[in-house]
């Protein structure tokens, strides 16, 4: 930096010039670094905004299927038991897919890095295609159009790909095609082509819809863009689906192209490199469809049908409903089960008896699971300790294993996963007969929809009667979605025709009122620790006994407390009480 100034002498005459030279290299470097940091911060912020926008769109798709089929079942529109089971399978499949998306959202490293990490695992191509078609078939039938999956020749049934991203591409493109097709139908066609370097998997989504003009195709894959503004008003949507799908395809080293003719229809073509799995079979869609329909009725592990080799298990959990359900399932499977309410009780129990497995809740009063597990390992205890926790964020499993846990299960308890974990440790016993209680109970035949369900006099006690009566007396007259939800009974997803499972649910309901009152008192006193403990109980226990809505409220309440959002916590307690008024125990039937 150069500065010059005149030097004045006597009489105001100029006698010379003073020039100064300052080295400002360091200052300029700092300014440059600041500019780079500012650009990086803006880029990271934009990446986060784009990521959240994309995830919002991704979540909406499986949620549509979950809510849609739930509403079908709630209204008693299933024509048969088989159809009811099919709807439940669809809800479970999309719920699982939704959980995968939520796990992606929790992985904040993807946001900060501004890129998407892809998996490369065995992906059942035909099965995935049929599942996506089934999920979206309800929308197609509502519009009176056809929706089919077929293949042009044989295609490998197992490929190496990212199943979550590929499923999302197919779901987005098929959903988009159905939305803009009012007559004819939509076809999903898979085929394999060869170029000079490699084989390519090509998937065409062909519709007979409204089509597009050539000038709209160039900007079709931009985020928040649809064919024109009138399209957005008429058909809805954010215009994110195509942008997301193309980004996924390009991340897989492929691409998506489109051809269209106004009034005649549109074809989207997905192209990704084909990597066949080791055990892949080359079959066409027709043969794959026969296998899919044959295997579609397969169910998860039934605790009344699975027997494990003799073993002794200690279940450690401060939530009584959690312990009751886990103990019931494990005893049905033939295991000997003891209980403990906290880590200190667990250590005492283990000192006095020999256990083959310990199921350890990680957040408990008196002594938590991390501390108890660590102390047991330091004392030389070597038997398997399986973490059982409501914390499912990235890093939680590593934290549990660092404390000494040999396995990791999340709450709400997934019965299939629990039994699979136990079977992997102790082994299955095919020779042991079914428990008498389990063998005597059979699934109930389809009944009247829950909206007019009644409660058995054998379990009509105290607050349950009050809750059920409140539900019965609530008139279903409002057209608003909120009023309809409040009027709709809330029924546990556990097998309520099984007396032992039923008793667990009844005891939970009986306790719910008292817990809600404790939450209100803690909120009034702004006792964050007490309210957080009660919210954690609700998050785990609600889902465990089959009330997923209550589990969600507990999770949101726990989050509000951490940020000291007392107003939000109050709103969530209002939701909890509204949900509690809807709870109903269906009439017991041993048909």
């Amino acid at each position: 930096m150069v500065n010059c100034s005149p030097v004045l002498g006597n009489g105001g005459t100029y006698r010379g010039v003073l020039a100064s030279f300052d080295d400002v290299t360091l200052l300029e470097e700092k300014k440059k670094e600041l500019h780079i940091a500012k650009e990086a911060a803006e880029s990271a912020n934009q990446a986060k905004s784009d990521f959240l926008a994309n995830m919002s769109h991704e979540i909406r798709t499986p949620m549509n299927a979950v809510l849609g089929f739930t509403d079908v079942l709630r209204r008693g529109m299933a024509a048969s038991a088989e159809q009811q089971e099919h709807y439940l399978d669809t809800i479970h499949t999309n719920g699982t897919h939704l959980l995968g998306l939520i796990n992606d959202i929790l992985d904040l490293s993807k946001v900060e890095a501004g890129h998407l990490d892809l998996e490369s695992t065995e992906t059942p191509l035909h099965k995935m295609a049929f599942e996506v078609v089934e999920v979206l078939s309800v929308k197609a039938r509502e519009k009176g159009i056809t929706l089919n999956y077929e293949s042009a020749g044989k295609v490998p049934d197992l490929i190496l790909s990212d199943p979550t991203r590929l499923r999302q591409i197919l779901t987005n493109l098929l959903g988009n095609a159905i939305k803009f097709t009012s007559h004819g139908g939509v076809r999903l066609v898979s085929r394999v082509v060869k170029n000079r370097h490699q084989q390519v998997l090509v998937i065409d989504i062909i519709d007979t819809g409204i089509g597009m003009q050539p000038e709209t195709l160039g900007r079709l894959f931009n985020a928040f863009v649809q064919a024109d503004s009138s399209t957005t008003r008429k058909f809805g949507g954010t215009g994110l689906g195509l942008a997301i799908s193309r980004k996924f395809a390009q991340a897989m080293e492929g691409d998506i192209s489109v051809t269209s003719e106004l009034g005649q229809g549109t074809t989207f073509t997905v192209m990704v490199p084909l990597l066949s799995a080791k055990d892949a079979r080359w079959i066409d869609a027709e043969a794959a469809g026969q296998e899919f329909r044959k295997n579609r009725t397969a169910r998860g592990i039934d605790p009344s049908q699975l027997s494990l080799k003799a073993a002794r298990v200690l279940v450690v959990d401060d939530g009584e409903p959690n312990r009751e359900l886990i103990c019931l399932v494990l005893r049905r499977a033939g295991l000997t089960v003891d209980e403990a309410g906290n880590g200190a009780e667990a250590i005492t129990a283990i000192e006095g008896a020999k256990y083959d497995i310990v199921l350890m809740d990680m957040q408990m009063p008196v002594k938590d699971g991390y501390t108890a597990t660590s102390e047991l390992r330091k004392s030389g205890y070597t038997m398997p300790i399986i973490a059982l926790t409501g914390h499912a964020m990235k890093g939680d499993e590593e934290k549990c294993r660092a404390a000494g846990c040999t396995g990791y299960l999340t709450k709400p308890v997934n019965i299939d996963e629990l039994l699979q974990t136990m079977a992997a440790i102790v082994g299955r016993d095919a020779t042991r007969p079914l428990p008498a209680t389990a063998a005597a109970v059979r699934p109930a035949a389809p009944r009247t929809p829950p909206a007019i369900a009644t409660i058995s006099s054998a379990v009509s006690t105290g607050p349950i009667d009050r809750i059920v009566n409140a539900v019965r007396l609530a008139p279903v007259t409002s057209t608003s979605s909120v009023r309809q939800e409040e009027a709709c009974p809330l029924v546990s997803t556990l097998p309520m025709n099984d007396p032992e499972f039923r008793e667990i649910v009844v005891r939970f309901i009986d306790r719910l009122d008292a817990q809600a009152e404790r939450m209100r008192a803690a909120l009034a006193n702004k006792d964050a620790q007490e309210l957080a403990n009660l919210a954690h109980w609700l998050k785990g226990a609600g889902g465990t006994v089959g009330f997923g809505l209550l589990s969600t409220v507990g999770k949101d309440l726990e989050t509000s407390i951490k940020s000291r959002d007392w107003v939000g916590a109050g709103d969530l307690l209002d939701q909890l009480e509204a949900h509690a008024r809807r709870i109903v125990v269906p009439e017991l039937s041993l048909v």
Side-chain angles (χ1 to χ4, degrees):
M1 180 182 291
V2 180
N3 286 306
C4 296
S5 60
V7 178
L8 298 178
N10 294 333
T13 61
Y14 294 103
R15 303 297 298 271
V17 174
L18 175 64
S20 62
F21 300 85
D22 294 324
D23 186 351
V24 293
T25 302
L26 184 60
L27 178 63
E28 291 299 316
E29 288 177 348
K30 293 295 183 183
K31 289 169 63 177
K32 183 178 179 180
E33 290 174 1
L34 181 61
H35 179 71
I36 294 173
K38 178 175 179 291
E39 288 185 338
E42 290 176 348
S43 177
N45 186 60
Q46 184 60 43
K48 185 177 293 185
S49 299
D50 291 345
F51 180 83
L52 293 176
N54 291 350
M55 284 298 125
S56 174
H57 182 81
E58 285 193 72
I59 289 172
R60 187 179 299 275
T61 300
M63 278 302 300
N64 282 339
V66 171
L67 295 177
F69 280 108
T70 301
D71 193 46
V72 168
L73 292 172
R74 181 174 64 87
R75 296 172 185 272
M77 297 170 64
S80 64
E82 289 78 12
Q83 193 175 70
Q84 185 181 47
E85 291 292 335
H86 170 54
Y87 292 161
L88 290 172
D89 281 346
T90 302
I91 293 171
H92 183 270
T93 298
N94 281 271
T96 303
H97 177 55
L98 184 61
L99 180 61
L101 295 177
I102 292 173
N103 288 336
D104 282 344
I105 293 175
L106 295 177
D107 189 358
L108 296 179
S109 62
K110 295 179 183 179
V111 180
E112 302 300 337
H115 68 270
L116 185 69
D117 295 329
L118 293 177
E119 295 181 354
S120 182
T121 60
E122 289 190 354
T123 302
L125 177 61
H126 292 301
K127 181 175 180 289
M128 176 184 293
F130 280 117
E131 287 177 347
V132 172
V133 166
E134 279 202 332
V135 168
L136 297 176
S137 62
V138 174
K139 292 182 180 179
R141 286 195 296 268
E142 287 176 352
K143 299 192 70 173
I145 62 176
T146 60
L147 177 61
N148 298 304
Y149 168 57
E150 57 193 68
S151 64
K154 293 183 178 181
V155 177
D157 63 339
L158 279 179
I159 63 173
L160 296 179
S161 182
D162 187 319
T164 301
R165 308 305 171 195
L166 185 58
R167 180 186 294 270
Q168 191 63 31
I169 291 174
L170 299 183
T171 301
N172 282 343
L173 295 180
L174 273 179
N176 197 66
I178 293 171
K179 180 164 62 173
F180 295 108
T181 302
S182 57
H183 65 275
V186 178
R187 292 188 299 140
L188 176 66
V189 183
S190 63
R191 53 193 170 97
V192 175
V193 299
K194 294 182 180 180
N195 59 25
R196 291 180 299 176
H197 306 290
Q198 61 184 349
Q199 290 182 315
V200 177
L201 173 64
V202 180
I203 302 175
D204 295 311
I205 292 85
I206 307 166
D207 68 59
T208 57
I210 60 176
M212 290 173 284
Q213 296 181 0
E215 56 267 23
T216 66
L217 299 180
R219 56 188 179 90
L220 196 61
F221 291 99
N222 296 334
F224 303 103
V225 171
Q226 290 188 325
D228 55 54
S229 59
S230 63
T231 299
T232 304
R233 289 194 297 269
K234 181 177 180 180
F235 294 97
T238 63
L240 279 175
L242 295 180
I244 294 171
S245 299
R246 192 174 209 179
K247 288 178 181 179
F248 287 167
Q250 290 173 343
M252 296 176 184
E253 300 182 356
D255 204 351
I256 298 179
S257 60
V258 57
T259 59
S260 184
E261 185 177 349
L262 189 63
Q264 300 298 317
T266 301
T267 298
F268 283 92
T269 300
V270 182
M271 297 166 289
V272 293
L274 177 64
L275 297 174
S276 299
K278 181 179 179 182
D279 299 324
R281 297 174 301 147
W282 286 70
I283 59 176
D284 57 28
E286 183 177 356
Q290 294 175 357
E291 293 182 4
F292 176 76
R293 287 185 289 273
K294 180 180 178 181
N295 298 327
R296 186 173 55 186
T297 56
R299 298 291 176 260
I301 298 176
D302 184 349
S304 68
Q305 303 296 326
L306 176 69
S307 290
L308 301 175
K309 292 182 179 179
R312 190 171 185 180
V313 181
L314 178 64
V315 177
V316 188
D317 198 308
D318 63 315
E320 185 178 356
N322 294 332
R323 294 200 309 271
E324 289 179 343
L325 179 65
I326 294 170
C327 291
L328 171 59
V329 170
L330 296 183
R331 285 170 182 149
R332 287 278 185 91
L335 301 178
T336 301
V337 186
D338 294 332
E339 304 176 38
N342 57 62
E345 293 180 7
I347 293 175
T348 302
I350 291 171
E351 289 174 349
K354 181 180 179 181
Y355 292 98
D356 299 289
I357 305 172
V358 177
L359 291 175
M360 182 76 75
D361 184 20
M362 304 312 288
Q363 182 171 325
M364 297 178 289
V366 184
K367 183 172 289 186
D368 63 27
Y370 299 104
T371 304
T373 301
S374 180
E375 291 181 4
L376 286 169
R377 294 308 189 199
K378 288 179 181 178
S379 68
Y381 189 75
T382 59
M383 300 306 290
I385 300 178
I386 308 299
L388 191 64
T389 176
H391 296 299
M393 292 185 66
K394 187 177 182 66
D396 287 327
E397 181 175 357
E398 289 78 5
K399 183 179 178 181
C400 293
R401 293 189 181 276
C405 294
T406 52
Y408 176 81
L409 295 173
T410 59
K411 293 190 289 187
V413 178
N414 183 310
I415 293 177
D416 286 352
E417 190 175 356
L418 171 64
L419 290 174
Q420 287 169 352
T421 300
M422 305 305 285
I425 297 174
V426 304
R428 302 189 183 190
D429 185 1
T431 65
R432 182 175 295 148
L434 293 176
T437 303
V441 178
R442 293 291 180 264
R447 296 196 311 273
T448 307
I452 56 173
T454 58
I455 186 169
S456 170
S457 59
V459 292
S460 299
T461 57
I464 299 177
D465 281 332
R466 176 179 57 75
I467 294 172
V468 175
N469 288 334
V471 173
R472 284 176 175 169
L473 296 174
V476 188
T477 56
S478 173
T479 58
S480 72
S481 59
V482 175
R483 293 291 180 82
Q484 288 177 353
E485 181 183 83
E486 290 178 350
C488 173
L490 186 61
V491 182
S492 171
T493 57
L494 291 182
M496 296 300 291
N497 203 42
D498 186 312
E500 290 184 284
F501 281 98
R502 182 189 190 88
E503 185 179 356
I504 292 173
V505 175
V506 169
R507 282 203 291 265
F508 170 82
I509 297 171
D510 200 13
R511 188 183 181 191
L512 184 59
D513 276 353
Q515 294 292 81
E517 289 178 6
R518 289 178 61 190
M519 291 181 190
R520 280 291 180 191
L523 178 64
N525 298 327
K526 291 191 175 181
D527 187 343
Q529 186 59 51
E530 171 72 0
L531 193 52
N533 290 339
L534 293 168
H536 187 76
W537 168 84
L538 181 65
K539 180 177 71 173
T544 296
V545 298
F547 294 113
L549 273 176
L550 302 188
S551 182
T552 301
V553 171
K555 180 180 179 181
D556 293 342
L557 182 57
E558 200 173 25
T559 302
S560 295
I561 298 162
K562 288 179 180 178
S563 60
R564 296 299 189 269
D565 180 7
W566 301 109
V567 174
D571 293 339
L572 288 166
L573 287 183
D574 290 341
Q575 290 183 30
L576 171 60
E577 291 168 353
H579 293 325
R581 289 192 294 269
R582 296 166 48 210
I583 293 177
V584 63
V585 178
E587 183 179 2
L588 184 64
S589 171
L590 295 179
V591 177

